[in-house]
């Protein structure tokens, strides 16, 4: 562990150009060092002989600005990347943004509306020009904001899911999967977003609890003056009813078998069908079947060959096919049709009902199940590949509890609807022929050749009509770890071979299906192996009341304002202190305040040491030699623990260990153990060792707090050793002798703490020397004397009668306090304690004498009460002994 510098040279220079300000000011430091890192290409990575460490950023939406979730996620990524650099690895953190089809198109449509332009008035090419202009103006804002956090991304590698290389990858994969028979086109029941006017995958539907109503409608039996009652939450869909269904095993509805009923208001005659799908206990046991607007009804309709009537336009208004309420919004119709049913005597009753309604993740509106021609990716093939690696820990989830969530989804997976009725996105490379049918190809020119090869008479690409739909945004994101290194377009290139698989993915559990699972699928399909070895799941950032942060609640602070107020290091520390992997984060600004205060503590500790006068003529005290040996061992011990926590992705605990190492062990103990007397110099060897320790501590803290550690490292090294980012840290493990010393110092700390506690309880000033009595020899007597201001440590057979005592392990220590003690006040205090304890003991004895309590309470509870009784009796005896001595 050689010195990296002669710190005495630093001491000579410190009084000139190295003088530090009284308080740490992040504004003086952060921009300066971030620019230094950029100027020196310290974030840059190219393949070389070192071990790679790769992280790809979960690409934020191009529409986005920095929020607290980004802050947490990217702080964690930066910690991992900075740690890898310091471990000597070739760390590559690739940034980028996602084109976010639905969100971005909505933003552009709104902007055009403000200018008096409708999307429907534009051609696709005209709209795309507006979309690209908007993206060029607003895209990338979030990446610039991440620099304020200290994110050490290789910015030269910044990618966009719709840039040329990524787009080409997406189209190539679509064609490949289509040719493999895994992509198909067909009419299926899909989730339709009436606001975004597009289909959604199942994973893009969020179910929200809604206080609704259950409407009981009368369906009269054809030719009879009797009716069956159907309970429904959606009376506005009755225009699409094509059957009533009962369970054949339901005795209360046997009378309906083989009959026909009349749809209320609509007056359409529909058959009563029988199927065990119907829940006998729900409502009346009679189910209205609307095949076009309910997934389960669709399956019933398909099974029983029922007519399908689509009563909704794409925007959620009533279509001509309904024959009633045409053009009205679906929710307005619900209100109106209820009134009309009631007026016609066809509404039996309504009652309050709580149900879960599927809503679009992006727009928030209630989705409509809708039959639609869409493109789908068959998922069973991929699920079969992606499940085993996670379950056998070839890919490790942190925390592992998310393996269950992952497994449940893959075992019940449905085909992925990959088409979206949008223009902004990767256009589906399917080309329709004039005579019918279509071909799938990467370009129109290739499509023309393929069509001709299949016998089509087309002679020009102008005769082909490309599919109007775009691909789901996630269809590009699932290729991200591969496409960032051009592994689709140029398989086996040097970069994909070096950087893939990546080392760790940091993401939220809310996109485990959208993204994590699908990247694993794509990895095995196109690279033959996993895309990342580890997945670190962050929690959801909530406020201190446990509420999810949102604009509507006004409880989400602006991250940039937090950085302005507390500094990036303070905010990073505040985020991470509250962020155990996978658990929700209860964020409180006070944690950032704590982070800022820690920065000041580091700064002031440095200024304290810097302010010491150094002398080459002073011999190093033996107690300082021991203190240095102890802190060397403590560093080895703690660095080993922190490394272990890193390996388990327990980053919050790793930070806390580093925090306690600095505040408790270094500042609280070591500096107190070696600091010189007031206005006296310190010996050169102790001074050098102390700054060596400080340098090591800066290296330990750097991944968590990059700015202040860089500033102080540069101060320490006189700007002659490069950046702390690439400084290594190798300490080894404590030797047997060092382990023994660590134990001795822990005992010494307890002795010192015991003496200090007596001082505090007896109001004895710190400057007043005390005597310490013990039954045997103690180790590290010089340090005990210095730290506890003990003038003498006596080995005695009988302790002083005036002494206050404390235990360390099984050894009793005594501090005579006769000359410091107010006897009357001490007697009064002890008698009050005795009275309290005796009353407490009476209560416990009553409880234990109660046979019912002893017989019925859990054994652990009874044993606890017995322990309380024994402890109280011991304390009472000790207090009585002390009182007897004082009253002599």
């Amino acid at each position: 562990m050689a010195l990296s510098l002669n710190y005495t040279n630093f001491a000579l220079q410190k009084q000139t150009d190295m003088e530090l300000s009284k308080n740490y000011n992040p504004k003086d430091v952060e921009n300066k060092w971030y620019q230094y890192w950029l100027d020196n290409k310290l974030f840059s990575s190219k393949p070389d002989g070192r071990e790679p460490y790769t992280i790809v950023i979960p690409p934020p939406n191009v529409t986005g600005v920095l929020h607290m979730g980004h802050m947490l996620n990217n702080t964690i990524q930066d910690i991992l990347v900075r740690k890898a650099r310091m471990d000597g690895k070739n760390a590559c953190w690739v940034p980028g943004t996602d084109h976010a089809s639905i969100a971005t198109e909505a933003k552009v449509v709104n902007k055009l509306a403000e200018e008096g332009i409708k999307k429907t008035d534009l051609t696709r090419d005209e709209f795309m020009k507006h979309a690209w202009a908007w993206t060029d103006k607003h895209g990338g804002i979030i990446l610039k904001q991440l620099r304020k956090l200290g994110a050490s991304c290789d910015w030269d590698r910044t990618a966009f899911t719709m840039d040329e290389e990524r787009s080409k990858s997406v189209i190539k994969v679509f064609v490949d999967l289509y040719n493999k028979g895994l992509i198909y086109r067909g009419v299926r029941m899909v989730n339709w977003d009436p606001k975004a006017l597009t289909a959604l995958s199942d994973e893009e539907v969020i179910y929200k609890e809604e206080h609704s109503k259950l409407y009981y409608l009368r369906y009269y039996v054809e030719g009879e003056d009797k009716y069956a009652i159907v309970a429904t939450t959606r009376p506005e869909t009755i225009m699409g009813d094509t059957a009533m269904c009962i369970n054949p095993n339901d005795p209360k509805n046997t009378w309906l078998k083989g009959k026909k009923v009349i749809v209320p208001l609509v007056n359409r005659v529909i058959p009563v069908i029988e199927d065990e799908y119907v829940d006998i206990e729900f409502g009346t046991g009679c189910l209205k079947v609307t095949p076009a607007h309910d997934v389960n009804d669709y399956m019933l309709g398909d099974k029983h060959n029922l007519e399908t009537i689509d009563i909704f336009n794409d925007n959620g208004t009533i279509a001509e096919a309904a024959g009633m309420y045409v053009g009205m919004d679906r929710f307005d119709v619900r209100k109106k049709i209820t009134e009309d049913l009631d007026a016609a005597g066809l509404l039996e009753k309504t009652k309050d009902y709580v149900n879960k309604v599927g809503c679009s993740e992006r727009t928030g509106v209630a989705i409509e199940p809708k039959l639609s021609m869409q493109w789908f990716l068959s998922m069973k093939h991929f699920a079969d590949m992606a499940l085993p690696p996670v379950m056998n820990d070839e890919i490790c989830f942190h925390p592992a509890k998310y393996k269950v969530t992952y497994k449940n989804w893959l075992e019940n997976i449905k085909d992925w609807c990959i088409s979206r009725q949008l223009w902004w996105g990767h256009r589906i490379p399917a080309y329709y022929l004039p005579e019918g049918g279509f071909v799938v190809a990467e370009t129109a020119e290739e499509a023309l050749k393929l069509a001709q090869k299949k016998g089509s008479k087309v002679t020009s690409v102008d005769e082909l009509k490309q599919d109007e739909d775009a691909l789901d945004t996630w269809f590009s994101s699932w290729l991200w770890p591969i496409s960032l290194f051009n592994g689709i377009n140029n398989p086996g290139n040097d970069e994909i071979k070096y950087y893939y698989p990546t080392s760790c993915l940091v993401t939220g559990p809310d996109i485990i299906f959208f993204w994590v699972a699908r990247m694993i699928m794509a990895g095995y399909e196109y690279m033959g192996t996993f895309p990342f070895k580890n997945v670190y799941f962050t929690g959801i950032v909530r406020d201190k009341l446990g509420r999810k942060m949102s604009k509507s609640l006004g409880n989400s602070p602006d991250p940039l304002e937090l950085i302005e107020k507390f500094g990036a290091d303070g905010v990073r520390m505040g985020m991470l202190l509250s962020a155990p992997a996978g658990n929700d984060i209860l964020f409180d600004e006070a944690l950032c305040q704590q982070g800022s205060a820690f920065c000041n503590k580091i700064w002031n500790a440095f200024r304290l040491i810097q302010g010491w006068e150094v002398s080459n003529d002073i011999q190093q005290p033996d107690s300082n030699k021991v203190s240095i040996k102890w802190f060397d061992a403590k560093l080895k011990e703690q660095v080993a623990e922190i490394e272990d926590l890193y390996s388990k992705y327990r980053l919050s605990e790793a930070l806390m260990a580093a925090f306690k190492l600095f505040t408790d062990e270094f500042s609280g103990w070591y500096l107190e153990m070696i600091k010189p007397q007031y206005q006296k110099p310190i010996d050169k060897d102790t001074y050098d060792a102390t700054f060596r320790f400080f340098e090591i501590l800066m290296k330990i803290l750097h991944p968590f707090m990059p700015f202040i550690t860089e500033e102080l490292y540069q101060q320490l090294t006189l700007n002659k050793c490069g950046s702390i980012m690439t400084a290594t840290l190798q300490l080894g493990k404590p030797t047997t002798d060092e382990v023994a010393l660590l134990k001795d110092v822990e005992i010494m700390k307890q002795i010192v703490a015991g003496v200090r506690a007596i001082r505090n309880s007896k109001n004895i000033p710190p400057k007043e020397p005390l005597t310490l009595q013990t039954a045997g020899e103690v180790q590290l007597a010089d340090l005990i004397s210095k730290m506890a201001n003990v003038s003498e440590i006596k080995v005695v057979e009988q302790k002083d009668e005036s002494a206050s005592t404390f235990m360390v392990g099984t050894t009793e220590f005594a501090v005579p306090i006769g000359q410091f003690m107010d006897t009357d006040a001490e007697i009064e205090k002890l008698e009050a304690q005795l009275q309290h304890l005796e009353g407490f003991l009476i209560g416990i004895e009553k409880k234990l004498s109660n046979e019912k309590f002893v017989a019925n309470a859990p054994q652990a509870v009874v044993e606890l009460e017995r322990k309380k009784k024994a402890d109280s009796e011991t304390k009472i005896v000790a207090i009585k002994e002390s009182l007897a001595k004082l009253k002599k």
Side-chain angles (χ1 to χ4, degrees):
M1 195 189 294
L3 295 178
S4 60
L5 278 174
N6 182 335
Y7 290 104
T8 311
N9 290 340
F10 166 75
L12 295 174
Q13 187 173 337
K14 68 184 179 181
Q15 297 299 330
T16 57
D17 59 328
M18 302 285 289
E19 205 66 43
L20 293 181
S21 60
K22 184 177 180 181
N23 295 311
Y24 175 62
N25 185 356
K27 293 173 186 174
D28 296 338
V29 169
E30 292 175 358
N31 289 339
K32 173 179 72 174
W33 290 118
Y34 200 86
Q35 194 58 50
Y36 167 84
W37 296 329
L38 290 174
D39 292 345
N40 288 277
K41 296 285 185 183
L42 293 176
F43 304 156
S44 180
S45 174
K46 288 184 170 46
D48 59 26
R50 291 174 293 166
E51 178 187 345
Y53 186 91
T54 317
I55 289 183
V56 296
I57 199 170
N61 287 356
V62 73
T63 60
V65 292
L66 201 61
H67 60 60
M68 297 304 288
H70 295 132
M71 290 281 282
L72 172 64
N73 187 291
N74 287 283
T75 293
I76 291 167
Q77 289 177 80
D78 195 49
I79 289 166
L80 294 172
V81 167
R82 287 180 182 273
K83 177 67 169 63
R85 283 195 195 97
M86 297 183 79
D87 287 343
K89 296 174 184 175
N90 186 354
C92 180
W93 184 13
V94 186
T97 50
D98 189 284
H99 64 277
S101 291
I102 296 175
T104 304
E105 182 149 326
K107 295 263 189 186
V108 176
V109 168
N110 289 340
K111 174 187 171 291
L112 291 172
E114 290 170 5
E115 299 169 5
I117 304 171
K118 293 181 180 178
K119 177 187 172 184
T120 51
D121 293 338
L122 300 174
T123 65
R124 187 187 194 109
D125 288 343
E126 288 170 341
F127 178 83
M128 290 298 283
K129 285 178 183 177
H130 284 285
W132 276 111
W134 191 93
T135 300
D136 291 341
K137 181 178 179 180
H138 297 279
I141 289 175
I142 191 168
L143 298 184
K144 293 187 177 89
Q145 291 174 327
L146 283 176
R147 298 175 186 225
K148 291 287 185 184
L149 184 65
S152 57
C153 301
D154 186 348
W155 298 110
D156 293 336
R157 291 181 176 272
T158 301
F160 177 47
T161 51
M162 269 181 67
D163 64 25
E164 185 177 352
E165 194 169 294
R166 260 51 62 182
S167 294
K168 190 176 177 184
S169 300
V170 169
I171 300 306
K172 185 181 282 287
V173 164
F174 182 97
V175 174
D176 176 63
L177 294 176
Y178 176 79
N179 289 335
K180 289 174 178 174
L182 294 169
I183 286 179
Y184 63 91
R185 183 172 183 257
V187 175
R188 298 288 187 279
M189 182 69 72
V190 298
N191 306 298
W192 185 262
D193 183 334
K195 184 174 181 181
L197 300 180
T198 182
L200 305 174
S201 67
D202 289 344
E203 291 70 41
E204 291 169 294
V205 178
I206 308 298
Y207 287 89
K208 299 178 182 178
E209 197 169 86
E210 187 176 274
H211 292 276
S212 182
K213 288 189 181 295
L214 205 53
Y215 301 85
Y216 290 77
L217 311 184
R218 294 172 177 172
Y219 283 65
Y220 276 88
V221 177
E222 185 187 33
E224 298 182 27
D225 194 24
K226 297 173 67 178
Y227 56 82
I229 297 175
V230 171
T232 180
T233 57
R234 303 200 63 195
E236 69 274 16
T237 62
I238 62 173
M239 293 85 79
D241 289 359
T242 54
M244 176 188 284
C245 190
I246 59 172
N247 191 311
N249 304 314
D250 183 2
K252 67 179 178 293
N253 286 318
T254 304
W255 68 279
L256 285 168
K257 288 186 178 183
K259 297 188 176 182
K260 294 182 178 181
V261 293
I262 302 167
V263 181
L265 291 184
V266 180
N267 294 323
R268 179 186 306 122
V269 177
I270 57 174
V272 175
I273 61 172
E274 299 173 42
D275 199 289
E276 292 185 347
Y277 163 76
V278 177
D279 182 358
I280 295 172
E281 302 301 323
F282 179 78
T284 61
C286 296
L287 176 75
K288 64 189 279 305
V289 183
T290 317
H293 300 294
D294 182 273
V295 174
N296 297 311
D297 288 9
Y298 173 69
M299 291 189 290
L300 279 173
D302 188 52
K303 180 178 178 181
H304 294 276
N305 198 27
L306 299 176
E307 182 185 4
T308 298
I309 304 171
D310 187 349
I311 67 164
F312 287 124
N313 294 316
D314 287 349
N315 63 358
T317 59
I318 303 300
E320 292 282 349
M324 307 169 68
Y325 310 107
V326 175
M328 289 181 67
D329 180 78
R330 53 188 171 151
F331 295 115
D332 292 337
V333 172
R334 181 178 298 179
K335 183 178 179 182
K336 182 69 170 65
I337 202 169
T338 304
E339 294 170 355
D340 293 347
L341 286 164
D342 192 29
L346 297 170
L347 180 64
E348 180 82 6
K349 64 178 179 177
T350 64
K351 74 174 186 179
D352 292 336
Y353 183 69
V354 177
N355 64 331
K356 289 194 172 180
V357 176
C359 298
S360 167
E361 184 212 22
R362 290 293 178 198
T363 65
V365 303
I367 60 100
E368 279 296 341
K370 180 179 174 68
L371 282 172
S372 180
M373 178 68 78
Q374 302 288 343
W375 291 88
F376 296 87
L377 178 61
S378 179
M379 295 301 284
K380 188 176 185 310
H381 160 75
F382 294 100
D384 290 344
M385 286 193 296
L387 183 57
V390 171
M391 300 316 295
N392 64 25
D393 293 329
E394 189 177 351
I395 300 169
C396 297
F397 279 9
H398 307 275
K401 66 181 181 180
Y402 288 111
K403 289 168 64 174
V404 176
T405 309
Y406 182 86
K407 180 174 183 282
N408 288 342
W409 183 69
L410 285 185
E411 288 182 341
N412 296 281
I413 201 163
K414 296 178 182 177
D415 287 356
W416 176 10
C417 177
I418 57 174
S419 49
R420 298 291 179 270
Q421 287 61 58
L422 302 166
W423 283 349
W424 177 247
H426 300 100
R427 193 172 180 180
I428 290 175
Y431 297 84
Y432 298 95
L433 310 177
E435 66 270 24
F438 62 88
V439 293
V440 171
E442 291 183 41
T443 65
E445 290 73 23
E446 290 178 23
L448 177 62
K449 292 178 184 176
L450 188 57
Q452 291 171 340
K453 188 176 179 181
K454 288 187 172 184
S456 175
K457 303 299 183 185
V458 291
T459 58
S460 166
V461 294
D462 296 334
E463 297 176 65
L464 301 175
K465 186 177 187 305
Q466 188 173 354
D467 196 299
E468 290 290 327
D469 289 352
L471 285 162
D472 180 8
T473 299
W474 297 103
F475 196 85
S476 55
S477 304
W478 79 321
L479 305 175
W480 193 240
I482 308 171
S483 64
L484 284 175
F485 304 107
N486 207 19
I488 299 294
N489 299 323
N490 185 12
N493 72 74
D494 290 343
E495 289 221 330
I496 194 72
K497 285 195 292 185
Y498 183 75
Y499 290 117
Y500 188 98
T502 66
S503 305
C504 181
L505 175 73
V506 181
T507 188
D510 52 329
I511 55 173
I512 192 169
F513 313 130
F514 287 123
W515 197 42
V516 179
R518 289 169 179 167
M519 281 191 289
I520 293 171
M521 294 169 180
Y524 280 96
E525 181 72 17
Y526 288 103
M527 297 298 297
T529 188
F530 49 78
F532 26 73
K533 175 59 182 168
N534 295 282
V535 183
Y536 181 110
F537 289 108
T538 64
I540 296 170
V541 184
R542 300 182 181 276
D543 66 16
K544 58 187 177 183
L545 300 177
R547 301 174 302 174
K548 188 173 181 179
M549 288 188 170
S550 69
K551 288 180 183 177
S552 59
L553 287 174
N555 64 346
S556 182
D558 182 335
L560 296 181
E561 289 180 6
L562 288 176
I563 291 172
E564 178 74 16
K565 185 175 180 181
F566 299 110
D569 289 335
V571 175
R572 287 167 67 114
M573 181 175 175
M575 291 294 295
L576 202 63
L577 283 176
S578 57
N583 293 330
D584 286 356
I585 292 92
L586 297 181
F587 178 77
D588 188 342
E589 217 173 89
L591 292 167
C592 295
Q593 178 65 55
Q594 185 180 348
S596 177
F598 182 46
C599 287
N600 275 313
K601 188 172 187 68
I602 296 169
W603 191 259
N604 290 331
F606 185 84
R607 289 182 68 248
L608 171 70
I609 305 165
Q610 188 190 43
W612 289 341
E613 181 186 346
V614 185
S615 172
N616 291 318
D617 302 326
I618 300 175
Q619 190 170 358
Q620 187 180 37
D622 288 342
S623 63
N624 284 13
K625 290 178 182 177
V626 172
S627 300
I628 289 165
K629 286 180 181 177
W630 165 71
F631 199 71
D632 256 329
K634 178 57 71 172
L635 280 172
K636 291 177 183 177
E637 176 194 65
Q638 290 301 298
V639 166
E641 179 186 338
I642 290 168
E643 288 290 333
D644 181 60
L645 291 168
Y646 268 118
S647 72
K648 295 170 180 172
Y649 289 85
R650 288 156 61 178
L651 303 187
S652 183
E653 293 172 57
L655 170 58
M656 184 52 72
F659 171 75
K660 289 181 177 177
L661 176 62
F662 191 95
T663 55
D664 297 353
E665 307 296 352
F666 182 70
S667 296
W669 287 101
Y670 173 76
L671 291 183
E672 293 297 316
M673 288 156 72
I674 58 91
K675 75 177 180 183
Q677 293 180 2
Y678 181 63
Q679 292 190 334
K680 298 286 185 181
I682 191 169
D683 68 275
K684 176 184 178 299
D685 290 341
T686 301
Y687 183 84
D688 283 352
T690 302
F691 266 123
R692 173 168 59 85
F693 293 152
F694 202 97
E695 181 182 332
I696 292 168
L697 288 165
M698 292 305 96
K699 291 178 181 178
I700 294 168
L701 286 166
H702 175 73
F704 305 104
M705 310 176 79
F707 291 108
I708 191 171
T709 52
E710 183 73 85
E711 173 71 15
L712 294 179
Y713 179 79
Q714 295 293 344
Q715 294 273 353
L716 276 165
T717 61
L718 307 179
N719 302 314
K720 293 179 180 177
C721 292
S723 171
I724 192 172
M725 280 178 55
T726 53
T728 57
L729 179 62
Q730 295 177 335
L731 298 184
K733 294 181 179 179
T735 64
T736 304
D737 288 345
E738 286 175 325
V739 170
L741 178 58
L742 287 169
K743 291 178 180 176
D744 288 344
V745 171
E746 288 308 307
I747 293 170
M748 181 273 290
K749 288 181 187 178
Q750 292 178 58
I751 296 170
V752 171
V755 175
R756 288 174 175 174
I758 290 171
R759 276 188 189 278
N760 290 337
S761 68
K762 307 302 180 185
N763 296 315
I764 302 171
K767 291 184 178 179
E768 197 71 56
L770 297 173
T771 298
L772 180 65
Q773 297 178 342
T774 179
E777 296 293 331
V778 296
Q779 300 292 321
L780 308 176
D782 287 350
L783 279 172
I784 293 169
S785 297
K786 180 177 181 179
M787 298 293 287
N789 193 12
V790 169
S791 58
E792 185 181 13
I793 300 176
K794 284 185 177 180
V795 177
V796 297
E797 291 184 6
Q798 186 71 35
K799 66 187 178 188
D800 192 283
E801 288 190 354
S802 73
S804 287
T805 62
F806 62 90
M807 301 290 291
V808 174
T810 58
T811 304
E812 184 180 45
F813 292 86
V815 178
I817 57 170
Q819 73 266 37
F820 305 108
M821 187 169 58
D822 180 339
T823 304
D824 291 341
E826 186 68 14
I827 289 172
E828 184 179 346
K829 186 174 79 172
L830 287 173
E831 285 180 337
Q833 289 178 0
L834 180 62
Q835 185 178 356
H836 169 75
L837 278 169
E838 286 176 337
F840 181 69
L841 181 61
I842 289 169
I844 294 173
E845 287 174 335
K846 282 182 179 178
K847 193 181 285 188
L848 289 172
S849 64
N850 184 331
E851 292 181 5
K852 286 185 177 179
F853 170 76
V854 175
N856 298 320
Q859 185 63 30
V861 172
V862 176
E863 289 303 320
L864 180 61
E865 293 302 315
R866 286 174 177 155
K867 185 177 185 306
K868 287 179 185 177
K869 178 176 181 289
D871 290 346
S872 298
E873 289 170 341
T874 301
K875 289 176 183 177
I876 287 169
V877 169
I879 289 173
K880 285 181 176 179
E881 286 179 0
S882 297
L883 282 169
K885 291 174 184 176
L886 289 169
K887 290 178 179 179
K888 277 184 179 180

